[in-house]
Amino acid sequence: MYFQTAIRLAAPVAFFGYAAFANIALFQADVEGPHLDGFVKGGFTQEVDTLYRANLPHRDVAVGWVGAARYVLLNEGRKGVIAGEKGWLFSSEEFREQDPDQIGLTDTLDWIASVQDRLAQTGTELVVVPLPAKLEIAQIHGGDAEQAQSIAGTYDLFLAELAARDIVTVDTRPALTTETAAFFQTDTHWTSAGAQTVAQTVAESGKVEIGTDKFTRADLDPIHFTGDLVSFVTSEELAPTVGLTMETVTPYVAEMAADDGAIGTIDLFGSDGPVPIALVGTSYSANPNWSFVEALKLELAQDILNFAEEGQGPVAPMHTYLETLDPAEAPPIVIWEFPVRYLSDPALMDSLLPTNGDDNV
């Protein structure tokens, strides 16, 4: 208790000391400072900010070392990450308040229902694939059993409310719970094993018809990368020294085999053959490193067109897909990958708001 308090108090003292040293070094350096006319034109603050960001000595090194020390001594990171146990990191998004009224769950569900209605008009069936939170699946490493159960309750409620609206869903949690390596330790995303587990669950659910296409799996070279949550703790260079080691994934592709056994390709713009299934979702689906779309091809024995987008959440990609959908080329099924951790985001539905700048809209 006293040790942690002392560390927390020592941090600002160290920063003030460094700030004094850094400012002396900065203003002795040969750099262009802010202009006085910035006071008049309103750009002075921006000029000062740019000056410090571009020229403050040792900034990146200091941030990295302070972050590493804070993680080692207090098991804490900066805003955006929650440190679990034994090198596990979790997005702070999973630690938000899960109250259904506060997170506006009803509005989200109503819009999902409207998506189903619009797709039905083109003869397309919607299949929602909710993804449980990493915190719930890996709660043994999370260090917060109460929050894990809270976000698990959101998953339960989401599934129940979708069913109440007659929206087809696939419950992925039971299978992911049994997968020992469903998520990366230092990244927000699932592993290729987690993605494959969900693809198998979709195929075994009976909600999507199994096709007759034949695919073969071809592994690519392994990729070593620093998890996206590490940047909220320390620098990439210092991460291994505090136990945040690099992650490894082996992506793969599903290659369609022709009837004669040769590897072939599909004529996506021809008139022969059925229209492929469409996949909409987040970076869980969009990033080829996780191989989710490839796993779906193998498990469903059907071609998949991927309309998922990275960094947009689950709502914006579906909105974009609907805006560009040609009813004459509507697929028989749209699979919507939907991580439940986004449901507590107060800005989740903002992508549906007008963006033309007209205040009268």
Side-chain angles (χ1 to χ4, degrees):
M1 176 67 178
Y2 291 109
F3 174 75
Q4 291 186 340
T5 301
I7 293 296
R8 289 190 173 93
L9 291 175
V13 172
F15 272 119
F16 278 118
Y18 171 72
F21 160 77
N23 276 280
I24 293 174
L26 175 63
F27 288 102
Q28 286 180 342
D30 185 19
V31 296
E32 183 179 0
H35 302 93
L36 293 179
D37 61 355
F39 281 111
V40 178
K41 299 179 180 179
F44 184 79
T45 302
Q46 180 63 40
E47 291 178 358
V48 171
D49 180 71
T50 301
L51 172 68
Y52 274 86
R53 287 181 179 274
N55 300 290
L56 190 64
H58 317 113
R59 177 183 180 276
D60 293 338
V61 175
V63 170
W65 277 105
V66 170
R70 178 169 52 192
Y71 178 72
V72 170
L73 297 173
L74 301 174
N75 197 40
E76 292 180 355
R78 297 192 298 275
K79 182 180 180 181
V81 71
I82 301 296
E85 300 175 352
K86 299 180 180 179
W88 280 77
L89 301 178
F90 298 84
S91 170
S92 59
E93 294 173 340
E94 300 189 344
F95 289 79
R96 290 186 291 227
E97 175 63 48
Q98 298 296 309
D99 182 274
D101 295 328
Q102 291 190 22
I103 65 179
L105 183 58
T106 299
D107 292 339
T108 302
L109 288 162
D110 289 344
W111 188 73
I112 294 175
S114 72
V115 170
Q116 176 180 250
D117 292 341
R118 181 167 176 180
L119 289 174
Q121 294 173 6
T122 65
T124 300
E125 182 176 18
L126 175 66
V127 177
V128 179
V129 181
L131 302 184
K134 173 183 174 180
L135 179 62
E136 179 190 355
I137 300 301
Q139 59 185 282
I140 190 174
H141 305 293
D144 193 335
E146 183 177 351
Q147 181 63 19
Q149 291 305 307
S150 179
I151 201 168
T154 298
Y155 180 92
D156 290 333
L157 181 60
F158 188 48
L159 214 62
E161 291 294 333
L162 289 173
R165 289 166 170 76
D166 294 323
I167 298 172
V168 178
T169 60
V170 176
D171 184 1
T172 63
R173 181 168 60 187
L176 281 174
T177 301
T178 61
E179 171 55 56
T180 57
F183 288 90
F184 291 107
Q185 286 189 219
T186 63
D187 197 275
T188 54
H189 299 96
W190 56 13
T191 63
S192 56
Q196 183 178 12
T197 296
V198 169
Q200 291 173 340
T201 303
V202 172
E204 295 169 358
S205 69
K207 308 294 178 62
V208 181
E209 182 179 357
I210 305 300
T212 58
D213 294 333
K214 296 179 181 180
F215 291 90
T216 59
R217 171 172 168 164
D219 287 352
L220 306 179
D221 293 334
I223 295 175
H224 307 284
F225 66 98
T226 301
D228 60 3
L229 294 172
V230 171
S231 62
F232 295 96
V233 176
T234 186
S235 66
E236 182 175 339
E237 293 74 19
L238 288 174
T241 67
V242 296
L244 301 176
T245 56
M246 297 188 74
E247 305 283 4
T248 301
V249 64
T250 302
Y252 58 88
V253 295
E255 298 177 329
M256 177 170 283
D259 292 338
D260 59 1
I263 300 301
T265 58
I266 300 175
D267 179 12
L268 296 180
F269 304 99
S271 57
D272 295 335
V275 177
I277 293 173
L279 172 65
V280 180
T282 67
S283 54
Y284 284 78
S285 298
N287 193 322
N289 290 346
W290 322 140
S291 305
F292 182 50
V293 67
E294 308 303 318
L296 284 173
K297 291 178 183 179
L298 291 167
E299 296 297 331
L300 295 174
Q302 296 195 57
D303 191 33
I304 309 290
L305 290 183
N306 193 358
F307 296 91
E309 300 178 29
E310 294 195 64
Q312 301 297 316
V315 169
M318 178 58 78
H319 177 63
T320 300
Y321 175 74
L322 293 175
E323 290 298 300
T324 58
L325 177 61
D326 182 352
E329 299 179 358
I333 292 176
V334 169
I335 297 174
W336 192 1
E337 165 258 310
F338 201 118
V340 298
R341 68 184 175 92
Y342 286 101
L343 291 172
S344 59
D345 182 359
L348 176 61
M349 305 301 291
D350 285 358
S351 60
L352 305 182
L353 298 175
T355 57
N356 59 9
D358 186 350
D359 294 336
N360 296 321
V361 175

